[in-house]
Amino acid sequence: MEFHLVDDGEGPPQPDGTRLEDLAPQPLLTRDYETRPELVYERLRKHHGPVAPVDLLGVPAWLVLGYRESFEVLQNDTAWPKGLENWRARSEGLVPADWPLGPSLEVNHVLIQGGPGYRTLRGAWDMALRPFQDPRNPQAKRLRAAVTGYADELITLLGQGGRTGLADLSAQFSRPLPLMAASHLLGFPTSRGDDALMDMWRVLDAGPDAEPALERLLVTLCDLAATKIEKPGDDFPSHLAAAHPELSVDALARELFMLLGMVSDHVGILISNTVVEVISGESEGGVRTALSAGMVRETMNRVVMRKPPLVNFVPRFAAEDTRLGNYTVRAGDPVWVSAAAAHADPVFAPRMAPDSSISSRAHLSWGAGPRQCPARELASSIAAVGVSRLFERFGHIELALPVDQLPWRSSPFMRGLRSLPVRYELTGPELRAAPRTAVDDVGEAAPESAASDATAVPGHSARRRSSLWRYLTGLIRSGN
Ligand code: HEM
């Protein structure tokens, strides 16, 4: 048996020949991970090098912390395929049936899937996203106009608490905005989408009502999938079904679930993080100036690199025994790439410095290799429209808490702000009630002029989106 010792002078030497199960890995998801994940990654790196055994809620896995090693895994889908069928411990019945991460990994959709069907499915995703991602296409223009209108509705609603006041920009803006964009993309017929959006929130928040919410949501998405297969429109489900006619109603519904989750959670995190970056000036050279110079995208690029919404990726599995870092990863062992840890790797971290002149393009926040995010442009443009509109409408926003006291929420996969308390001052004319906004008809073309009506108070759409609007109205605080 070959032995290789990790010689970092700190942790105990680790015999390379040991199996993952026998290494008695330490739990990853501790209180420290919740509050200071960078320290946890650092400790693991010191102790184990670029690849560390960890315990994920009772299941052992390899966490890839090294930038080079992460890149190696992501680039080579043959050596490190996805697909739970490749997981040795799962085939041996060693993954508990009630493993908390089971529900999010056992849903078979494009993000998780390996195997022969994957390539066709990914190709279909690329085709179905194209109309919404290329800014020259009418679908992309309509989406942009709709998101502008949604942003205005949300800001106006929030402003009903007063021209100046306190708000939670996460609950009142960053979270609902992408959900509304998702509803548009999915082509939900009127208020049906509204309830589904609320259920998506319940699922993401993993509270006591998450399970019935998930059941309801899947039924709604199955209905939607069936409708779009039968009577296609100009929306994402119809484009996906057209690009992949073999998809069953259930399979299409699972893909829609994946889209809804990605748009609502990840884009919301990106919006909140960008807002914090802009108002706290964490970035160099006065970001507010950069923003007004039309560089929201550049700010966002930095934000997504420094604070990747998807901190750890879904697992891959070693196709055969493979040397990675200081260990031999056995065939069928699960391997989790950690973008957050890889970005802190000393071989990459200097690129993240504000004054770095080295290109930061090689960051992993959107993944890398054949399975990188196909929706980067879509996600960025929804977030950019939201952030731009916010700073156009607010004359002044400041954090209501010191930046290092903002509350974060972490899961094994993502990290985002739990809330974003701000003090604001709105600009522009008095808020007035308007009979209708640009986004009354989700899925229909929104006239550009209406979409940019900064003062409209939601009329019909508010009534239609009753459950969402009731919730948001409940969050309005009176100002001053
Ligand atoms: C800020 C927002 C987003 C971020 C940071 C993000 C990031 C990522 C990352 C890192 C991956 C690679 C995961 C891996 O290698 O295991 C990924 C994959 C993927 N993302 Fe995104 N994403 C975002 C938004 C979206 C949105 C809005 C959609 C859908 C409309 C989407 C659809 C996908 C899909 C389908 C994959 C799987 C690709 C494959 O395995 O072939 N993402 N995303």
Side-chain angles (χ1 to χ4, degrees), residues 74 82 110-113 118 122 125 129 185 236 255 258-260 262-270 304 308-310 313-316 339 364-368 370-376 378-380 382-383:
L74 295 176
K82 286 187 180 179
V110 65
L111 180 62
I112 313 282
Q113 212 178 88
Y118 162 73
R122 168 64 193 243
W125 261 85
L129 283 170
L185 274 168
F236 178 82
E255 300 305 319
M258 192 263 167
L259 176 136
L260 194 52
M262 276 295 210
V263 176
S264 51
D265 218 20
H266 294 65
V267 178
I269 292 173
L270 180 55
V304 88
L310 204 63
F313 298 172
V314 297
R316 270 95 174 150
L364 303 178
S365 300
W366 301 99
R371 302 207 57 157
Q372 65 187 283
C373 183
R376 178 176 179 162
L378 178 78
S380 305
I382 295 172

Side-chain angles (χ1 to χ4, degrees), residues 115 194 213 217 236 245 247 257 265 321 328 341 450:
D194 205 12
L217 183 57
F236 178 82
L247 276 185
F257 176 71
D265 218 20
D321 290 5
T328 297

Side-chain angles (χ1 to χ4, degrees), residues 332-380:
D333 277 357
V335 164
W336 297 57
V337 169
S338 171
H343 288 175
D345 183 338
V347 307
F348 184 79
R351 294 180 183 220
M352 311 245 290
D355 56 353
S356 168
S357 55
I358 312 168
S359 163
S360 57
R361 274 170 209 272
H363 72 73
L364 303 178
S365 300
W366 301 99
R371 302 207 57 157
Q372 65 187 283
C373 183
R376 178 176 179 162
E377 179 52 34
L378 178 78
S380 305

Side-chain angles (χ1 to χ4, degrees), residues 20-21 51 60-62 64 72-74 76-89 91 314-324 327-337:
L20 173 61
E21 302 82 274
V51 178
W62 297 104
V64 187
E72 186 183 325
V73 169
L74 295 176
N76 194 341
D77 200 33
T78 310
W80 304 97
K82 286 187 180 179
L84 298 193
E85 66 282 4
N86 296 309
W87 191 352
R88 198 186 60 251
S91 325
V314 297
R316 270 95 174 150
F317 304 90
E320 49 192 57
D321 290 5
T322 311
R323 180 87 183 192
L324 195 66
Y327 290 98
T328 297
V329 176
R330 305 284 161 199
D333 277 357
V335 164
W336 297 57
V337 169

Side-chain angles (χ1 to χ4, degrees), residues 231-287:
K231 204 167 160 253
D234 192 1
D235 44 45
F236 178 82
S238 306
H239 284 278
L240 189 61
H244 196 325
E246 294 80 41
L247 276 185
S248 66
V249 167
D250 281 1
L252 179 57
R254 285 197 298 273
E255 300 305 319
L256 304 184
F257 176 71
M258 192 263 167
L259 176 136
L260 194 52
M262 276 295 210
V263 176
S264 51
D265 218 20
H266 294 65
V267 178
I269 292 173
L270 180 55
I271 294 175
S272 280
N273 288 353
T274 307
V275 170
V276 172
E277 175 96 355
V278 173
I279 53 187
S280 67
E282 279 182 357
S283 217
E284 78 291 357
V287 185

